[in-house]
Amino acid sequence: CLCDNDNPCTTDACVDSICAHTALPGCATCLTDLDCAADQACAVEVGQCLPIPGQRLTAKVAAELGVGTGTDIVTVTLDACPIAGTNELTGATLAVRLTHQWRGQVEITLQDPGGTLRVVRAADPTDGADDVAETYDLGVSSQEGMPSAGPLCVPGQPWIVTITDTLAGAHGGYVDSVSLYLVSASDP
């Protein structure tokens, strides 16, 4: 018998011509990051929540976005210098959680300690859905705009996340949290 139930969080077996689907402990299915626990992201291609690697730096922002006129900007600084291990960056992931009535107005950029600026989410006026609950795998040397095995900590030079409502006043929102996960060469 064919027993695949298309659920990545079960093991499927055919026993005596009867399908059995056993839940995998700790596994959660997902459609978006909102379906996942803290420190997990939705791997949409497999429909499963997976752990985000690295040491987490989180800022609980609690700031309104886009409630005035013109462009509205929320800036978040994350100092990586308290992170233990080597200072050699081998991977980075950014997780952003915010509510917004028209997420296509929102642009998100990340500036690393060396000053390289990268747009991780471009504004898209055709995207009229609500909210941003997204995780961005930034890679390192394989991704354009990220330092190649650069330092994750430069004293006095934090990582800077800028969240911009490109059409403030039309639709508003609220920035909840920003987390940066950094993987150093000494991480397992």
Side-chain angles (χ1 to χ4, degrees), residues 128-181:
D130 292 341
D131 306 334
V132 174
E134 298 173 344
T135 303
Y136 310 96
D137 182 359
L138 305 172
V140 187
S141 59
S142 64
Q143 299 291 323
E144 182 179 336
M146 286 300 291
S148 176
L152 55 88
C153 166
V154 177
Q157 296 179 326
W159 293 76
I160 301 171
V161 179
T162 304
I163 302 169
T164 304
D165 187 326
T166 59
L167 190 60
H171 300 278
Y174 183 83
V175 180
D176 182 45
S177 65
V178 173
S179 296
L180 182 64
Y181 297 80

Side-chain angles (χ1 to χ4, degrees), residues 21-106:
H21 308 287
T22 305
L24 296 172
C27 187
T29 58
C30 62
L31 297 174
T32 72
D33 283 354
L34 289 175
D35 300 323
C36 300
D39 298 329
Q40 293 183 333
C42 182
V44 177
E45 63 280 358
V46 295
Q48 182 180 357
C49 296
L50 298 175
I52 301 172
Q55 297 179 60
R56 178 184 62 177
L57 302 170
T58 297
K60 187 73 173 159
V61 181
E64 290 184 333
L65 181 66
V67 294
T69 59
T71 301
D72 194 13
I73 298 171
V74 172
T75 302
V76 178
T77 58
L78 298 163
D79 185 2
C81 288
I83 287 191
T86 70
N87 194 29
E88 183 181 342
L89 177 67
T90 59
T93 303
L94 179 67
V96 177
R97 304 291 180 266
L98 63 90
T99 60
H100 199 280
Q101 296 169 332
W102 194 284
R103 71 178 178 202
Q105 293 176 200
V106 177

